Amino acid sequence: MIYNTGIIFSWISFSLLIILFFNKKNLYTEILVRVNLFIQVLLFCLLEVGLFLNDFSLSYIANFSAKSTPPLYKFASLWGSLDGSILLWNLCLSLFMYFYLKFYKDPSSNIDVKIFTLIMIFFVGYTVFSSSPFAGCIELATVGCSSSTILPFADLVTSNIGRGPNPLLQNHPLMAIHPPMLYIGYVGMTMPFVAATSRLYSKKEDSNSWIEVAEKTTYIPWLFLTIGITLGAAWSYEVLGWGGYWAWDPVENVSFIPWLLATAFLHSSKIQKTQNTLLNWNYILVGLMFLSTIFGTFITRSGVLISVHAFSNGNIGTYLLFGMLLFGLIFIVIGSRNIEYFSKSKKIDNWFGKSGFFVYNNIFLFSSALVVFIGTIFPLIYETLYSRQITVGRAYYDILVGPLLLILLGLMIFSVKLSIRNLNIRKWLNEYIILLNTALIVTIFSLFLLNNSYSLIITVSFSFILIFITVNNLYKNFRVPKGNSSYWTGQIAHLGIGIFALGIILNVSQSYSTEKELSSFEEFNFNNETYFVYDAIEESLPEKNVIKLPISDTEHTKYTSLNIFKNSSQQAISSPAVFRSIINDIYITVKFIDEDSYKLIVRNNYGVLIMWIGLLITSLSFLPRLRKNEV
Amino acid sequence: MKKNLIIVLLGVGLIVYASTVIASRNTIYYYTTSETEDIEITTNERIKLGGFVVEGSISKDGGYTVFTITDGNKEIDILFDGFIPELFQENMGVILDGVLDNNIFFADDMLVKHDNEYVSSDGETYDVKSYSK
């Protein structure tokens, strides 16, 4: 039932999109876009219904869900693996298409509908021709399904329990929201791409209208990317038990690349709007943003790289490469038709004023994106050339990205009240002299408490200066509201980044760990606090067995646990016990459990909560945009 | 415009060059156990070694976990001192991080492969038995 309906409606959606692409009448456009959105919502609900009804005649449900899977993770199983996640992708894409055409449609031309539709055809086409989450199971595996069909009305076989989602994906609720956030971020980058290509294709005199639309539509996916990346890092920290939050894993990298590019574009589009410069550069950025999201999906989903995240295989790789080529070509062709327009771009006239600083900002953000990109594809190229598998060590990113981000932090200090004319350092110093001194004093005091290093001193002082100046500025202007909303957005985002930078440098430079060997009912000392270890408790839940080890400090009892999932791949996940405070976390994981003796890894992780707070503030930067109904 | 283009291209070229150089100095190689025979590995060079945990080979020695891994053709003894992220067990595919010395691999980091199958370099597939406690 779900199988036939799902496949047939996928086909209908695909045909509608084809009609939409060739359709000439405006009247039908709106209806078709709505119907398409409706079908995508329907397909999404249909698969959810299947998941909750345990319809194991669907290969996807048999392989990535199980009867014993708890409801939240059943719901999240829809995007737990490739085929289902494309369904979510399509839903987001049709939502954005509806949204874009409602608010930003170019009234004089239909080309934006066509480009958007083409992109949609590409992704819906995958579920129609290659592999669909509604594929029916025609051959059973020991558990789950081994062979399936994407044609309707076949005779299906039904497995009886289902394999269940990847254990990693069903151990923490964050996993249920982190991927959709990233998807919205990825998919949303389609909007600026459509804005740029369609409005430049129709070549009008006021061609700069594209930049406004592109800027507005970039902010939304940027926000979701920020939230998605933050949640991913938080998930990694809370669940994976390795004490860290970011590993420069290829899949983390590919979410970071579009974020860096979008951040660059959000800045450089501002000076195009006011000073008509960097036209060609902005166009390139928009294109790269969009292509980098497809590249990201390619890396995540094609299994070309060895990575904790590389979940799946199949022919999606070639399909996505083809997509990148196709959209890249459209992008280049439209760009080359506008050479004349781009040549009207004004020169940057002052390198020490607003435009200059925005150019520096772009140089460093773009360089970071490039460095991360090269680090990500380097193993691929290396393997092609020398047929050896390698990974790029963490040191690569520490050497290259660290300093770039530090420079950006430094630049941000001047972002407040940056005049279009040249920045007058003396006047600037005079204005902020009290704040600067306070910041430096705070820095010096906090450095007394910390293990020092060169980068630490610079980062801490930069962060404090940035935080003080933005807070001061926000406070002063809050009482006398003025300025436009994007200015406020910027200040809040910068404040968040300043706090985040403080957190991350504390974390990197101050954290340390130790190992403790103990038996049940023993206590140990760590960081001037006494911790007491109880006896391990075994718990059996429908989907997993949990071995919990209670540990308490003077006030709380927390559990560090090993989660062993049934009827799925035989893997256990160790969850940490975290004693939190603003400055540092005591983070305890089990290394060994042997009868009633334990080997624990005890970490003192600094700054983690500060990092989350910083990123939260950065995410709140959308608040000023709500004013005046600006989207 | 042309001048700008040249500057941008030069800049991009410079970054690409610098990144490539630094990346190639920070590579970590992946080996399967039999590959270690064919390729010369200098002592102290950090590598990643992939293989299957041999049944009945796991023991504890002081703070270390000692076990043997294989890709079906060659076995290598592992001296592991590090955080075991997942409950580690026999017959499981692992990727270890460390240094090889005299056919003993000193590892301090472990990644457990998520899939149920391990494909060795000769293309043969080895199934991992299901979890039992």
Side-chain angles (χ1 to χ4, degrees), chain A residues 194-365:
Chain A
V194 172
T197 46
S198 67
R199 290 190 180 227
L200 284 177
Y201 181 85
S202 44
K203 274 195 182 175
K204 280 196 304 299
E205 278 314 303
D206 65 329
S207 303
N208 256 352
S209 70
W210 75 270
I211 196 80
E212 299 220 1
V213 178
E215 195 262 332
K216 278 182 184 161
T217 50
T218 302
Y219 182 74
I220 300 161
W222 175 87
L223 180 68
F224 279 99
L225 267 185
T226 312
I227 299 171
I229 293 172
T230 308
L231 291 178
W235 171 75
S236 179
Y237 183 76
E238 296 292 332
V239 179
L240 292 187
W242 58 293
Y245 39 85
W246 189 264
W248 296 109
D249 178 284
V251 172
E252 292 163 356
N253 290 351
V254 296
S255 64
F256 194 36
I257 295 169
W259 187 89
L260 287 167
L261 293 174
T263 311
F265 178 70
L266 286 174
H267 290 90
S268 65
S269 58
K270 295 262 157 27
I271 51 171
Q272 170 165 350
K273 279 205 291 197
T274 53
Q275 294 168 66
N276 207 31
T277 54
L278 296 179
L279 307 185
N280 38 10
W281 174 248
N282 280 327
Y283 183 70
I284 292 172
L285 272 183
V286 168
L288 290 180
M289 264 151 55
F290 176 63
L291 293 178
S292 72
T293 59
I294 304 186
F295 170 76
T297 324
F298 168 70
I299 291 288
T300 329
R301 297 307 191 177
S302 66
V304 287
L305 289 175
I306 303 170
S307 140
V308 227
H309 289 77
F311 312 106
S312 63
N313 257 306
N315 43 13
I316 181 102
T318 9
Y319 194 80
L320 287 172
L321 277 183
F322 169 74
M324 275 170 80
L325 206 69
L326 174 73
F327 299 126
L329 211 64
I330 293 176
F331 173 73
I332 290 169
V333 167
I334 294 179
S336 62
R337 283 168 52 126
N338 283 280
I339 293 283
E340 207 181 314
Y341 162 73
F342 290 133
S343 64
K344 277 188 235 151
S345 179
K346 283 215 187 92
K347 281 210 175 107
I348 304 283
D349 47 4
N350 68 70
W351 288 96
F352 213 62
K354 196 166 191 168
S355 30
F357 270 76
F358 274 36
V359 171
Y360 306 141
N361 147 298
N362 262 247
I363 290 173
F364 292 112
L365 281 171

Side-chain angles (χ1 to χ4, degrees), chain A residues 364 397-408:
Chain A
F364 292 112
Y397 299 98
D398 291 345
I399 295 168
L400 286 170
V401 185
L404 288 173
L405 298 185
L406 190 55
I407 295 171
L408 283 165

Side-chain angles (χ1 to χ4, degrees), chain A residues 37-83:
Chain A
L37 173 61
F38 175 76
I39 293 180
Q40 293 303 330
V41 173
L42 184 86
L43 287 173
F44 180 91
C45 296
L46 203 60
L47 193 59
E48 285 297 354
V49 169
L51 282 162
F52 278 96
L53 293 181
N54 298 314
D55 187 346
F56 296 131
S57 62
L58 263 65
S59 162
Y60 184 82
I61 296 177
N63 286 341
F64 302 108
S65 178
K67 272 193 181 141
S68 58
T69 309
L72 176 68
Y73 301 109
K74 260 186 190 155
F75 184 73
S77 286
L78 186 132
W79 52 85
S81 191
L82 171 69
D83 297 338

